[in-house]
Amino acid sequence: QVQLVESGGGLVQAGGSLRLSCAASGRTLSTYSMGWFRQAPGKEREFVAAINWSGSNTYYADSVKGRFTISRDNAKNTVYLQMNSLKPEDTAVYYCAVLKRWPVTPNGDWGQGTQVTVSS
């Protein structure tokens, strides 16, 4: 079983940027497609972005397309989410996950997440 630890969240003004990291231990991520998800207060967890095992294919939710970029470094067993032009509606706890099915179905194992708060 892989353990995932998200980091890099924080408080940022609208229009700002953050880079989230998802570090894995217990198993290599290099054979898995990975995704980022988020959950805002009072809302269901939703898909944000996905990347295949090699990094050659990515997929984004319409709400973040053109602003967020998912990437990975398999040598570091880490997946990243670069978030630019942040909006208050991006405020949420962000989670990474191994994908059970491409591109939006997680396998159900979650880390603790990292809080992103965007002020207007």
Side-chain angles (χ1 to χ4, degrees):
Q1 185 177 358
V2 60
Q3 287 79 44
L4 301 170
V5 177
E6 302 91 345
S7 63
L11 173 63
V12 63
Q13 287 189 328
S17 298
L18 284 173
R19 189 195 196 202
L20 306 184
S21 298
C22 170
S25 61
R27 185 175 290 184
T28 178
L29 293 181
S30 61
T31 59
Y32 296 107
S33 293
M34 297 293 296
W36 282 96
F37 298 78
R38 65 187 181 185
Q39 187 167 21
K43 295 188 177 182
E44 297 286 319
R45 186 151 26 200
E46 65 175 3
F47 167 79
V48 174
I51 189 166
N52 73 336
W53 69 274
S54 67
S56 62
N57 194 15
T58 58
Y59 183 78
Y60 297 93
D62 287 344
S63 59
V64 307
K65 204 172 294 183
R67 300 188 298 122
F68 290 10
T69 303
I70 188 171
S71 62
R72 67 190 301 160
D73 185 336
N74 285 339
K76 294 183 178 179
N77 223 24
T78 302
V79 179
Y80 304 98
L81 185 68
Q82 178 66 44
M83 306 187 296
N84 298 329
S85 302
L86 282 161
K87 305 176 180 179
E89 51 264 43
D90 294 318
T91 295
V93 179
Y94 283 71
Y95 303 87
C96 64
V98 173
L99 294 181
K100 181 171 67 175
R101 191 160 48 249
W102 179 264
V104 303
T105 305
N107 72 348
D109 294 327
W110 302 102
Q112 85 289 348
T114 186
Q115 175 71 48
V116 172
T117 303
V118 184
S119 63
S120 57

